[in-house]
Amino acid sequence: MENVLRPLIVLGGSVVLTLLIGWVTDRLLRKADERQTETPLWGLLRRGRVPYQLLLCAALLRGSYDQADLLPGHEVSVARALTLVLIGSAAWLIVRISAAIVDTTYSRYARAHRDPARVRRVRTQVSLIMRVVTAVVGVVAVAAMLLTFPAMRAAGASLLASAGVLGIVAGVAAQSTLSNMFAGFQIAFGDMVRMGDTVVVDGEWGTVDEITLTFLTVRTWDERRITMPVSYFTSKPFENWSRGGAQMTGIVFWHLDHTAPMEAMREKLRDLLRECPAWDGRACDLSVTDSTPSTMEVRALVTAKDADDVWKVRVHVREGMIRWLTEQHPYALPRVNTADATPPPGTHFTHQTRRAYETPRVAGRT
């Protein structure tokens, strides 16, 4: 009877005690979260209840397994398995606690600072720091698990003896990866590009969606994802439209007839911008920037608070102005001249000069 009750008491007691401690801890964290609503730390710590309970259970079983007298002859294997679970759950819990602390720090910073550029910079740094912490904890946990096996301990001395040669070989083999990792740190703490920045890379316009230690993802306006190594941003030029402030100036061009009513167009531009919610009201201008024998180039300058809004303003102004010209001033639209050229007064025509003046009409008909 004792051989049956002892394992049940040890195993059952460990599980029940784990659930009880986990429930009490979760209740305390919930109450702390309800009392201190200004910080999300306690609510974020509740996400670690699963690794926390797994750690407690593994620790209790590891400490009391010898008294259970279960599976005699396999004590070493069971103890090693419990040790592996203990190390893995401890690493998992450390990552969850670190994530809670880092997220809390970022949320406080985001509430205290209203500058979007600074908030995006800190968000990028926090994201990369969390990835580094996760990688370091994972490597340490795997190394600790391997050292629980006696064969790996014996191999450790040989590995340390040849660490210099292995380091050189690994450095040469992982040269590209290491350069990307250092480039990731340079981007994070050098404030070159941040998550949420609007960039133009290889002719593609988009928003930085994700930054890791090795690659960066740009989400384009048509929902495509462009993934490239972070070393690209430290070795090649690129456009960062969010650098130094998100405000932007947009340009709209029209090619119109020389008779286009410029003053009326300026008034219409102001009316169109007043109707557009994306216009920030900073500036607007309309000027003739170029002229050809058949048309003139008219340029409008508009402003908005960011790249997305300046695109909306440009589209709204371009479409509204063309519609207004079509309805109210159709003569201002570009036309192909098929009439004969008008000669100067008093010109005496010869056969050659008449053919020269009539050439545009012939060309237009053909």
Side-chain angles (χ1 to χ4, degrees):
M1 189 67 178
E2 183 180 356
N3 295 333
V4 177
L5 290 178
R6 182 179 296 181
L8 290 177
I9 292 174
V10 173
L11 296 177
S14 299
V15 174
V16 171
L17 188 59
T18 297
L19 294 176
L20 180 60
I21 296 175
W23 179 79
V24 172
T25 305
D26 186 67
R27 292 288 298 176
L28 293 176
L29 291 176
R30 181 180 298 178
K31 290 183 179 180
D33 186 41
E34 293 175 353
R35 287 197 303 266
Q36 301 180 11
T37 56
E38 71 279 359
T39 174
L41 176 62
W42 309 111
L44 293 174
L45 286 176
R46 292 183 61 203
R47 298 178 181 178
R49 58 182 176 269
V50 175
Y52 174 66
Q53 292 178 352
L54 186 60
L55 176 64
L56 284 177
C57 187
L60 291 174
L61 290 175
R62 183 68 178 83
S64 60
Y65 178 76
D66 294 337
Q67 306 298 324
D69 196 17
L70 183 65
L71 297 176
H74 300 278
E75 291 85 356
V76 177
S77 300
V78 175
R80 183 174 294 129
L82 291 175
T83 302
L84 294 177
V85 174
L86 186 64
I87 295 173
S89 58
W92 189 5
L93 181 61
I94 291 173
V95 171
R96 286 296 178 89
I97 293 175
S98 302
I101 295 174
V102 169
D103 290 345
T104 301
T105 304
Y106 168 73
S107 62
R108 288 179 176 177
Y109 185 89
R111 287 198 302 266
H113 296 79
R114 300 298 180 183
D115 186 2
R118 297 179 62 183
V119 172
R120 290 199 302 270
R121 180 183 62 188
V122 173
R123 179 187 172 192
T124 303
Q125 295 173 352
V126 163
S127 176
L128 290 179
I129 289 174
M130 196 59 230
R131 292 178 184 274
V132 172
V133 170
T134 304
V136 171
V137 172
V139 170
V140 173
V142 171
M145 290 179 179
L146 293 177
L147 290 177
T148 59
F149 297 91
M152 295 303 300
R153 296 177 189 172
S158 301
L159 291 175
L160 290 175
S162 58
V165 178
L166 290 176
I168 296 175
V169 174
V172 174
Q175 183 178 3
S176 177
T177 302
L178 291 176
S179 65
N180 281 328
M181 290 184 62
F182 285 115
F185 282 111
Q186 186 177 354
I187 286 177
F189 297 98
D191 198 24
M192 298 175 58
V193 63
R194 301 152 297 201
M195 286 193 295
D197 281 3
T198 301
V199 297
V200 179
V201 290
D202 287 341
E204 295 284 353
W205 175 86
T207 304
V208 178
D209 194 46
E210 183 181 8
I211 299 178
T212 69
L213 289 177
T214 56
F215 67 89
L216 184 147
T217 303
V218 177
R219 176 172 51 85
T220 62
W221 64 273
D222 54 355
E223 301 299 329
R224 290 181 293 118
R225 300 298 193 277
I226 302 176
T227 302
M228 56 188 63
V230 292
S231 58
Y232 175 93
F233 291 87
T234 59
S235 59
K236 296 182 180 180
F238 65 95
E239 297 183 30
N240 189 342
W241 292 2
S242 302
R243 186 78 174 177
Q247 295 177 340
M248 294 199 66
T249 299
I251 300 175
V252 183
F253 286 104
W254 298 277
H255 291 275
L256 305 176
D257 190 80
H258 295 92
T259 58
M262 295 303 301
E263 291 301 326
M265 288 182 63
R266 291 187 177 95
E267 291 295 330
K268 184 60 179 178
L269 176 63
R270 298 188 188 98
D271 295 340
L272 290 173
L273 291 176
R274 294 188 192 101
E275 299 171 357
C276 183
W279 182 53
D280 63 359
R282 287 189 296 124
C284 70
D285 181 65
L286 191 139
S287 305
V288 177
T289 56
D290 197 4
S291 178
T292 66
S294 57
T295 61
M296 65 178 179
E297 182 183 76
V298 180
R299 184 196 67 185
L301 295 181
V302 295
T303 58
K305 64 181 180 62
D306 54 31
D308 291 334
D309 280 358
V310 82
W311 172 262
K312 297 176 183 177
V313 175
R314 292 173 61 197
V315 171
H316 177 77
V317 168
R318 184 183 294 109
E319 180 180 348
M321 187 67 74
I322 292 176
R323 184 188 306 114
W324 177 74
L325 289 173
T326 304
E327 296 174 355
Q328 303 295 330
H329 303 278
Y331 60 88
L333 298 177
R335 294 168 291 175
V336 178
N337 189 8
T338 59
D340 294 338
T342 303
T347 302
H348 176 69
F349 283 104
T350 64
H351 180 68
Q352 288 78 8
T353 56
R354 185 178 299 278
R355 287 184 58 188
Y357 277 105
E358 292 179 353
T359 299
R361 182 176 61 180
V362 174
R365 290 176 180 176
T366 57

